[in-house]
């Protein structure tokens, strides 16, 4: 399966068109058939297996995407029952078909197959996630103008062939910090749209920190009345109402993405302390914290008021978030004793279980949590490596988000003023450094089977607005997406750089800001 970017062959690249390049992330198996191109026509429909809500969800998303640029009605219609019931029966007639097929799921809900003939495009999957992954691939096989925001000229051709594909890791995440500097829901949705293009299936929202509390808790109104009144540098303020947050979660889900909310503690909680003084050791609320760096003041972990408040918070956030996970933070806890941390994390874990969620925490929390009951996010080497390994050996699942490779707020280059946005505390991270690391080799002694997935984190102490966030995220987020999806044996920098080049015109067409790194030979139109 191959795609040729529109606009390749400009004088700036020597007049030589880019070679045909595969999608990002690289699929597991591709068999092109140049004689089998499919062209979408005005009378075509998006057809689905009868009675499959999973297929209907993905089909509705796909049809909505295609109607805008093509101007075609593209109704969503059910296939005859025998197609859904007999997995050996191919759909007849023209169009795009999403067919429920348990054989394509295997042991992985993200698996799918995609087959293109002159008459039809058929995506087969066993579960909802697989259908959305197939749709993400199909988007990249269509012309660049598929991302136009108004009617555009075709033809709307899909190159012929077949793909069999599955993710390497079940969890492929992107963390967005909306606490240090608030990001309105419309901008978060814009980020969600970009994540969906590259098979990122979890959006980790960092909702609370020292500089801001960004989610309404109706039983604790002061958290947003006071806690959302400022941000890093005193520049931003704001929060999501529960209706706004609920709608944002639904928006992400409709694009195949599960939201993972994070409520920090016992450090990084100054916004909560400024809202409710009874959470402090002194019993008095400090002024709000608008500095760029972290506050040194943490929760009073031995007072019952702390757990009464967190019970309210976790209860309301869990009810607003249908996904299975709730992230409890837990990083940079040196201002608490080990005994206090054991007490705190034990109590918080009870509350997370009480409200029906599975607990995620940063790696510093791992010594104080039950190994088989939690997920740990590993972000910095050398802090408590042996404890992380021991927990993994005991059953803890690990999400790897290495700061020196996958923290998107790091600058691409140390040169100024070429790249003035971002920070450098974990070094500078160009695209190649974002790509050339392996989750299984990140921590010697970590059982490979314990790795649940990868995550790209974007912190916002010095990031103001969606344009700056996108400039830092793209194209490096594509590297993390490929590490999380593609087989380890398929890793190849030259191939990846060529395929990233194809994404330049696509990102530009979609209105996504991105860094034109000199590591990539961008085509005309990027």
């Amino acid at each position: 399966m191959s795609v040729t970017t529109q606009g390749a062959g400009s004088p700036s690249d020597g007049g030589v068109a880019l070679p045909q390049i595969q999608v990002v992330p690289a699929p597991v198996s591709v068999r092109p058939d140049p004689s089998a191109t499919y062209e979408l026509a005005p009378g075509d429909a998006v057809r689905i297996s009868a009675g499959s809500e999973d297929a209907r969800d993905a089909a509705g998303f796909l049809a909505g995407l295609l109607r805008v640029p093509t101007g075609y009605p593209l109704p969503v219609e059910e296939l005859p029952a025998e197609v859904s019931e007999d997995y050996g029966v191919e759909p007849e007639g023209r169009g795009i078909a999403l067919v429920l097929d348990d054989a394509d799921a295997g042991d992985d809900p993200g698996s799918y197959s995609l087959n293109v003939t002159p008459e039809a495009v058929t995506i087969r999957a066993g579960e909802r996630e697989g259908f959305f992954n197939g749709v993400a691939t199909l988007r990249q096989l269509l012309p660049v103008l598929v991302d136009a925001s108004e009617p555009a000229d075709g033809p709307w051709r899909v190159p012929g062939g077949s793909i069999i594909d599955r993710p390497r890791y079940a969890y492929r995440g992107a963390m967005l910090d909306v606490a240090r500097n608030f990001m309105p829901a419309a901008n978060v949705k814009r980020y969600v749209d970009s994540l969906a293009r590259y098979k990122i299936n979890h959006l980790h929202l960092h909702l609370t920190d020292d500089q801001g509390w960004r989610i309404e808790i109706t039983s604790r109104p002061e958290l947003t009345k006071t806690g959302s009144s400022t941000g890093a540098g005193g520049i931003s303020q704001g929060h999501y109402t529960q209706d706004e947050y609920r709608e944002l979660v639904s928006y992400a889900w409709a694009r195949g993405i599960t939201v993972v909310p994070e409520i920090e503690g016992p450090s990084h909680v100054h916004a909560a302390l400024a809202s409710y003084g009874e959470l402090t050791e002194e019993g008095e609320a400090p002024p709000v914290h608008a500095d760029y760096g972290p506050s040194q003041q943490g929760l009073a972990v031995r007072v019952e008021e702390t757990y009464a408040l967190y019970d309210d918070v976790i209860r309301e956030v869990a009810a607003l978030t249908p996904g299975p996970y709730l992230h409890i933070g837990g990083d940079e806890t040196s201002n608490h004793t080990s005994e206090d941390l054991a007490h705190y994390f034990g109590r918080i874990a009870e509350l997370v279980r009480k409200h029906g969620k599975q607990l995620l925490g940063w790696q510093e929390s791992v010594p104080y949590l039950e190994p088989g009951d939690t997920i740990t996010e590993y972000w910095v080497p050398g802090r408590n490596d042996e404890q992380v390994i021991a927990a993994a050996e005991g059953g803890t699942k690990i999400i790897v988000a290495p700061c020196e490779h996958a923290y998107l707020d790091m600058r691409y280059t140390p040169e100024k003023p070429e790249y003035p946005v971002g920070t450098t505390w974990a070094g500078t991270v160009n695209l190649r450094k974002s790509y050339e690391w392996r989750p299984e080799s990140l921590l010697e002694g970590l059982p490979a089977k314990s790795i649940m997935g990868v995550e790209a984190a974007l912190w916002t102490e010095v990031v103001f607005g969606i344009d700056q966030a996108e400039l830092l995220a793209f194209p490096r987020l594509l590297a993390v997406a490929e590490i999380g999806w593609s087989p380890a044996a398929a890793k190849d920098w030259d191939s990846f750089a060529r395929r990233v080049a194809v994404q330049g015109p696509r990102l530009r067409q979609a209105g996504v800001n991105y860094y034109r790194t000199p590591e990539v030979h961008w085509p005309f139109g990027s």
Side-chain angles (χ1 to χ4, degrees), residues 175-176 183 191 405-413 418-424 427-431 434 456-480 512-517:
M175 191 285 293
L176 184 61
M183 194 170 291
Y191 200 62
H405 297 285
Y407 269 32
L408 303 178
D409 47 306
M410 297 301 111
R411 291 183 182 177
Y412 288 89
T413 170
E418 179 186 356
Y419 203 76
V421 180
T423 186
T424 58
T428 56
V429 183
N430 61 22
L431 179 62
S434 287
L458 180 52
W459 303 98
T460 60
E461 290 98 328
V462 293
V463 179
F464 305 97
I466 186 62
D467 287 339
Q468 289 188 359
E470 288 178 342
L471 192 64
L472 287 162
F474 297 98
R476 292 183 294 188
L477 187 61
L478 278 63
V480 180
V512 178
N513 198 16
Y514 68 100
Y515 178 54
R516 278 71 166 172
T517 172

Side-chain angles (χ1 to χ4, degrees), residues 388-445:
V388 172
I389 293 169
E393 290 173 341
T396 295
K397 293 298 182 184
I398 309 295
I399 295 169
V400 289
C403 58
E404 70 272 30
H405 297 285
Y407 269 32
L408 303 178
D409 47 306
M410 297 301 111
R411 291 183 182 177
Y412 288 89
T413 170
E415 285 77 30
K416 297 179 182 180
E418 179 186 356
Y419 203 76
V421 180
T423 186
T424 58
W425 63 261
T428 56
V429 183
N430 61 22
L431 179 62
R432 188 161 189 165
K433 190 174 180 182
S434 287
Y435 184 72
E436 291 191 334
W437 62 279
R438 295 179 179 272
E440 69 276 18
S441 303
L442 193 65
L443 176 57
E444 185 177 356

Side-chain angles (χ1 to χ4, degrees), residues 61 65 132 136 139 174-176 178 183-205 240 245 247-260 466 469-470 473-474 477 510 512:
F61 173 58
L65 286 173
F132 275 94
R139 290 178 73 177
M175 191 285 293
L176 184 61
V178 295
M183 194 170 291
N187 289 346
V188 178
K189 291 177 183 178
R190 179 168 146 180
Y191 200 62
V192 165
D193 288 336
S194 296
L195 301 182
R197 292 184 179 92
Y198 301 106
K199 302 184 179 73
I200 298 293
N201 64 351
H202 290 84
L203 172 63
H204 168 184
L205 277 180
Y240 308 118
Y245 176 79
E247 203 275 328
L248 197 160
V249 169
S250 296
Y251 186 91
W253 178 249
R255 285 147 183 81
I257 296 171
T258 298
V259 169
V260 180
I466 186 62
E470 288 178 342
F474 297 98
L477 187 61
V512 178

Side-chain angles (χ1 to χ4, degrees), residues 106-440:
D107 296 326
D108 195 322
S111 299
Y112 71 95
S113 65
L114 189 152
N115 189 54
V116 182
T117 71
E119 294 298 316
V121 175
T122 304
I123 297 171
R124 290 180 175 272
E127 297 191 31
R128 186 179 193 273
E129 184 178 348
F131 284 122
F132 275 94
N133 290 332
V135 167
T137 294
L138 177 57
R139 290 178 73 177
Q140 291 190 42
L141 299 180
L142 284 156
V144 170
L145 287 172
V146 73
D147 281 315
S149 59
E150 56 188 22
D153 293 332
W156 305 102
R157 291 175 180 151
V158 182
S162 61
I163 289 176
I164 298 174
D165 205 7
R166 70 189 68 86
R168 184 181 184 195
Y169 295 116
Y171 186 106
R172 303 172 307 282
M175 191 285 293
L176 184 61
D177 172 16
V178 295
R180 268 60 173 271
N181 274 297
F182 181 64
M183 194 170 291
N187 289 346
V188 178
K189 291 177 183 178
R190 179 168 146 180
Y191 200 62
V192 165
D193 288 336
S194 296
L195 301 182
R197 292 184 179 92
Y198 301 106
K199 302 184 179 73
I200 298 293
N201 64 351
H202 290 84
L203 172 63
H204 168 184
L205 277 180
H206 186 77
L207 291 166
T208 70
D209 211 289
D210 290 321
Q211 291 85 354
W213 186 286
R214 308 303 182 186
I215 176 71
E216 177 189 21
I217 304 299
T218 58
S219 61
R220 301 285 182 157
E222 201 65 36
L223 287 171
T224 47
K225 182 179 178 181
T226 298
S228 72
S229 63
T230 189
I235 294 172
S236 72
Q237 60 180 332
H239 68 276
Y240 308 118
T241 67
Q242 292 201 354
D243 285 344
E244 287 172 330
Y245 176 79
R246 189 182 291 110
E247 203 275 328
L248 197 160
V249 169
S250 296
Y251 186 91
W253 178 249
R255 285 147 183 81
I257 296 171
T258 298
V259 169
V260 180
E262 180 180 354
I263 305 297
E264 265 281 16
S267 300
H268 295 286
V269 291
H270 195 107
L273 305 183
S275 303
Y276 289 96
E278 59 267 34
L279 304 179
T280 69
E281 295 289 353
E282 300 79 14
E284 296 182 2
V288 295
H289 182 81
D291 292 345
Y292 288 101
S295 167
Q296 298 305 307
Q297 193 163 1
L299 280 171
V301 301
R302 296 286 183 173
V303 299
E304 285 304 307
E305 288 85 350
T306 291
Y307 304 103
L309 182 138
Y310 270 78
D311 191 9
D312 289 338
V313 170
I314 291 171
R315 181 187 71 251
E316 294 193 29
V317 172
L320 292 168
T321 313
Y325 307 121
L326 194 146
H327 202 303
I328 54 121
D331 61 317
E332 298 180 323
T333 55
S334 59
N335 53 350
H336 292 86
T337 67
S338 294
E339 292 77 13
D340 281 349
L341 291 173
H343 178 78
Y344 172 80
F345 285 116
R347 295 288 300 273
I348 293 298
E350 288 177 2
L351 294 176
V352 173
R353 286 192 295 270
K354 171 184 172 182
H355 296 296
K357 298 300 180 183
Q358 186 169 10
L359 184 149
L360 275 75
W362 296 107
Q363 72 190 69
E364 293 92 325
S365 66
V366 74
Y368 312 106
L369 298 168
E370 292 295 327
D373 192 37
T374 59
I375 301 166
T376 287
E377 190 157 4
Y378 184 78
W379 66 279
V380 59
R383 180 152 293 180
N384 60 332
D385 291 354
E386 292 183 359
Q387 293 170 327
V388 172
I389 293 169
E393 290 173 341
T396 295
K397 293 298 182 184
I398 309 295
I399 295 169
V400 289
C403 58
E404 70 272 30
H405 297 285
Y407 269 32
L408 303 178
D409 47 306
M410 297 301 111
R411 291 183 182 177
Y412 288 89
T413 170
E415 285 77 30
K416 297 179 182 180
E418 179 186 356
Y419 203 76
V421 180
T423 186
T424 58
W425 63 261
T428 56
V429 183
N430 61 22
L431 179 62
R432 188 161 189 165
K433 190 174 180 182
S434 287
Y435 184 72
E436 291 191 334
W437 62 279
R438 295 179 179 272
E440 69 276 18

